[in-house]
Structure formats: C-alpha cells, structure tokens
Amino acid sequence: KDETNVVFVGRLVKYKNIDKLLRAFKVVQNEHPKYKIKIVGTGPEEGNLKKLAKFLNINAEFYGFVSEEEKIRIIKSSNVLVNPSSVEGLGLILIEAMACGTPVAAKNLDTYFFCNKSNSVLYNNDEELENVLIELLENKKLSKKMENGGIETAKKYSWDNVATEIEKFYEGLI
C-alpha cells in the first residue's frame, strides 16, 4: 500500500453503479489529489466509464480482465475495496478483499449477511459513499479494525472450514 487508492473489482455493467463510485471518488480526489481509483474488470459499460473518468478528470486506472494472481495483488495493494452494486448474489469479492486484509465498503444488501461493523462499512444510499470513502481512507484506526475483522471473517469461509461444515451437514442427514 505504497499509494492511497480505492479499488473496484467486477463486471462493468450498469447495476454495479461504478459511475456513482467514480463521481463519489471525484469529491474525494478534490481533497486528496494524489489518491487513485483502480477499476478491475470488463463489460459493456467500460467505454462509458473511461469517458466519465476522463470527463471528471480523476486519477483512474482501468485494468480490464486480469489473472487471479494479479487481482489479488491489486486488492492487497489497495486501501479500500468498494462494491457499489445494487444487485449481488453472495458478494464473494468482499470476502476475498477481507482475506487480503483490505477494508471493504459496499452498498447495504441483504446478501451481505457476513458483513458487520467489525469487518466492513455498509452504506444505504449513494450520497453516503463519498463520506464512507473519506472515512476509510483517512481514519487509520477504523481501517485497521476493518482489516483485522475482515481477516477473521474470511477465515470462516476458507475451503477447510466450508468442507468441514458440509461434512457435518451430510453426517447429520445420515
């Protein structure tokens, strides 16, 4: 984490609300010109999002599709992973970021049952996003709390733990 940056990882589609993330980041970058935003993924909105980032004159880097190893490296090197999506299945990327020790901010969705005040910051409306970003980027104590809480949460979803839980479930059926 040599530089201060925010990362989004996912498909570049409308319902992921990356345009709202870019607009919120503009407000953050007005106060902190050296901050960066990294966008990892591809999709039909990629061209529009690149144009918006250029129009907003923000320090945005678009990576496109990357390998799993590169994705993890980018997440680990980021200060906050943000998922502003209004629709998600499980939100596995949040657990992956937690496992990397990267604080998480996301729109408050029912599918994020594993998120709580010790491992993430969930926001309810888009207007809150810029304040959430500033809080996580500037409040080192909060970031450290999210980092530690996220790592503990991610451990619950390791392959070993999940396999053990599935085994217990099947044994209970027998």
Side-chain angles (χ1 to χ4, degrees), residues 149-169:
I151 289 169
E152 288 305 310
T153 298
K155 286 178 185 177
K156 296 175 188 171
Y157 297 95
S158 72
W159 284 113
D160 290 340
N161 285 344
V162 171
T164 300
E165 290 301 314
I166 290 172
E167 185 178 12
K168 285 180 189 175
F169 174 76

Side-chain angles (χ1 to χ4, degrees), residues 79-158:
N79 300 85
V80 180
L81 178 129
V82 182
N83 190 347
S85 182
S86 54
V87 178
E88 281 297 331
L90 172 64
L92 184 59
I93 194 63
L94 301 184
I95 296 172
E96 289 177 320
M98 289 177 186
C100 291
T102 301
V104 167
K107 194 159 192 174
N108 192 0
L109 301 176
D110 291 340
T111 55
Y112 298 149
F113 60 89
F114 52 88
C115 290
N116 58 55
K117 292 181 188 226
S118 72
N119 65 16
S120 55
V121 176
L122 299 179
Y123 62 93
N124 292 307
N125 59 60
D126 298 324
E127 292 74 34
E128 295 176 45
L129 180 53
E130 59 198 51
N131 292 329
V132 166
L133 290 174
I134 290 169
E135 176 89 26
L136 282 169
L137 291 169
E138 293 181 355
N139 186 334
K140 301 301 178 200
K141 187 176 179 181
L142 177 63
S143 287
K144 191 65 175 168
K145 175 185 169 187
M146 297 294 129
E147 180 181 321
N148 294 333
I151 289 169
E152 288 305 310
T153 298
K155 286 178 185 177
K156 296 175 188 171
Y157 297 95
S158 72

